[in-house]
Amino acid sequence: MRCRASCSRRRWLLLLLFCVAAPALAKLDYRVEIEAPAELKRTLEKGLNIVRWREDPDMDAERLKRLVDEAVHEAREAAATDGYFSAQVRAEVESAGDPWVVRLSVEPGERTRVQDVDIRFTGPVTTDDEARALLQKVRENWT
């Protein structure tokens, strides 16, 4: 009889412990909202680590903060690859609701355009008669 009461108490204590600890063990749920021009937005939705790691079962507030900081850098880099070298990127996390919301805002600024290119070659290739035609092709077909 004593064992049954003791076992029953242990079960209730384990159940209580599980109920108290389970929320702490649950992953942090969040969604990402990106405000950017359509083409850049699509690129960011596919390429940002913060989007890719959204379903990580080990996600917590500290890890999310690192991903938010990284997303700002990644968004600037993505904008630069499209010619936007002075993009302004802001990120904020709204943690009041469930799921949390990460808002990333990208103002790309003016796109840099290449107007003229002058391709010059140096070294042994410039004196190689067979290479001259290839070098000329490179200059003519530069896009």
Side-chain angles (χ1 to χ4, degrees):
M1 190 78 164
R2 190 170 184 202
C3 180
R4 281 188 184 170
S6 177
C7 289
S8 180
R9 264 189 246 128
R10 274 192 223 136
R11 282 190 200 124
W12 280 106
L13 283 173
L14 285 173
L15 181 61
L16 180 63
L17 180 62
F18 178 76
C19 290
V20 171
L25 297 174
K27 80 172 182 88
L28 176 64
D29 190 22
Y30 67 93
R31 74 175 186 266
V32 180
E33 296 177 358
I34 300 172
E35 182 182 321
E39 185 179 320
L40 183 56
K41 181 178 179 176
R42 282 190 299 276
T43 300
L44 295 174
E45 288 172 339
K46 292 177 188 173
L48 292 178
N49 283 329
I50 197 165
V51 174
R52 283 197 299 257
W53 286 93
R54 205 178 76 67
E55 298 298 323
D56 182 2
D58 295 326
M59 185 57 63
D60 58 21
E62 182 180 324
R63 197 172 280 179
L64 180 60
K65 183 189 179 328
R66 283 194 307 259
L67 287 172
V68 169
D69 293 342
E70 190 177 287
V72 170
H73 177 74
E74 290 174 331
R76 280 192 191 111
E77 291 292 317
T81 61
D82 279 348
Y84 299 103
F85 295 105
S86 56
Q88 299 297 312
V89 181
R90 291 184 315 279
E92 61 181 39
V93 178
E94 185 180 303
S95 59
D98 188 31
W100 288 15
V101 179
V102 176
R103 287 190 181 86
L104 191 66
S105 174
V106 182
E107 295 175 24
E110 190 174 335
R111 182 179 246 165
T112 300
R113 302 206 183 272
V114 176
Q115 186 172 350
D116 192 26
V117 175
D118 182 19
I119 301 175
R120 297 177 190 202
F121 299 96
T122 59
V125 72
T126 58
T127 57
D128 184 340
D129 289 334
E130 293 178 25
R132 285 186 193 191
L134 292 173
L135 299 180
Q136 189 57 35
K137 257 187 169 175
V138 168
R139 286 187 185 101
E140 291 170 0
N141 294 322
W142 178 259
T143 53

